[in-house]
């Protein structure tokens, strides 16, 4: 599962919300997606860098953080390894949970209850976070932190109607 290849050039996929349709039990959002800059730009050589983009549809100014190719690849690899380790931890936690759950405990034995609670938490972490990390690792491309630039020049975390694709 390689996902998108991380090269020495980047493209920002900026989505501008066109419409929202509400139906019974469902909401559909239509996006206008622009790939900026055309043909891509070179990534920073080390660390990360803030770049400015303008939405071609609504003409609002945004900033986006772009990571170097090495940093983006390292983050992708760390996410993938952590995800697989959490999934592999299920091979130990689930059998231990089944074994300890089938035993009778004496009244007032708080350590047995604590052990089962800890194993249940670890198993839940492995079931929920493990697959999420493995799947999201393939989508990490090193372009993140979309911020709206206000008229005063300050950046806002709240970016209404826009997102990165």
């Amino acid at each position: 599962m390689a996902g998108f290849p991380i090269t020495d050039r980047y493209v920002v996929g900026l989505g501008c919300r066109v419409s929202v349709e509400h139906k019974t039990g469902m909401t559909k959002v239509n996006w206008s997606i622009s790939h900026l800059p055309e043909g891509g730009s070179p990534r920073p050589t080390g660390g990360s860098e803030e770049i400015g983009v303008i939405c071609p549809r609504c003409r609002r100014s945004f900033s986006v953080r772009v990571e170097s190719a090495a940093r983006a690849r390292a983050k992708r690899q760390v996410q993938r390894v952590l995800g697989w380790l959490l999934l592999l931890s299920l091979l130990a936690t689930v059998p231990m949970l089944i074994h300890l759950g089938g035993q009778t405990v004496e009244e007032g034995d708080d350590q047995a209850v604590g052990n089962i609670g800890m194993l249940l938490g670890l198993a839940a972490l492995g079931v929920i976070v493990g697959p999420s990390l493995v799947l999201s690792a393939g989508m990490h491309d090193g372009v993140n932190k979309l911020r709206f630039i206000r008229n005063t020049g300050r950046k806002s975390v709240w970016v209404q109607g826009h997102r990165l694709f």
Side-chain angles (χ1 to χ4, degrees):
M1 182 183 298
F4 304 109
I6 297 175
T7 63
D8 291 335
R9 300 185 71 75
Y10 71 91
V11 175
V12 177
L14 181 65
C16 185
R17 186 174 58 206
V18 176
S19 65
V20 178
E21 300 172 13
H22 298 287
K23 295 182 181 176
T24 307
M26 184 178 76
T27 301
K28 182 180 178 185
V29 180
N30 295 318
W31 297 92
S32 171
I33 302 172
S34 304
H35 298 285
L36 307 168
E38 292 293 328
S41 286
R43 287 185 182 267
T45 55
S48 61
E49 179 179 299
E50 295 253 343
I51 59 133
V53 294
I54 296 175
C55 178
R57 185 173 178 274
C58 66
R59 302 315 234 174
R60 289 187 175 177
S61 297
F62 296 95
S63 73
V64 177
R65 189 178 76 180
V66 179
E67 298 171 342
S68 67
R71 187 175 198 169
R73 285 186 196 112
K75 281 187 177 181
R76 177 184 278 186
Q77 193 64 23
V78 166
Q79 281 183 342
R80 186 172 286 129
V81 167
L82 284 176
W84 281 111
L85 285 175
L86 284 171
L87 285 172
L88 288 174
S89 73
L90 292 174
L91 294 174
T93 55
V94 171
M96 287 174 57
L97 188 60
I98 292 170
H99 175 72
L100 290 176
Q103 293 181 349
T104 57
V105 295
E106 294 181 23
E107 189 173 331
D109 188 3
D110 292 335
Q111 184 176 1
V113 174
N115 289 342
I116 289 181
M118 181 186 65
L119 287 173
L120 190 62
L122 289 173
L125 188 72
V127 167
I128 296 169
V129 178
S132 299
L133 283 174
V134 171
L135 293 174
S136 68
M139 296 185 310
H140 180 74
D141 62 352
V143 178
N144 53 25
K145 288 199 178 179
L146 178 67
R147 302 286 188 253
F148 173 65
I149 300 176
R150 296 184 176 140
N151 294 337
T152 61
R154 295 184 57 177
K155 296 175 187 162
S156 170
V157 175
W158 180 256
V159 182
Q160 188 174 7
H162 291 82
R163 68 177 266 201
L164 292 174
F165 280 92

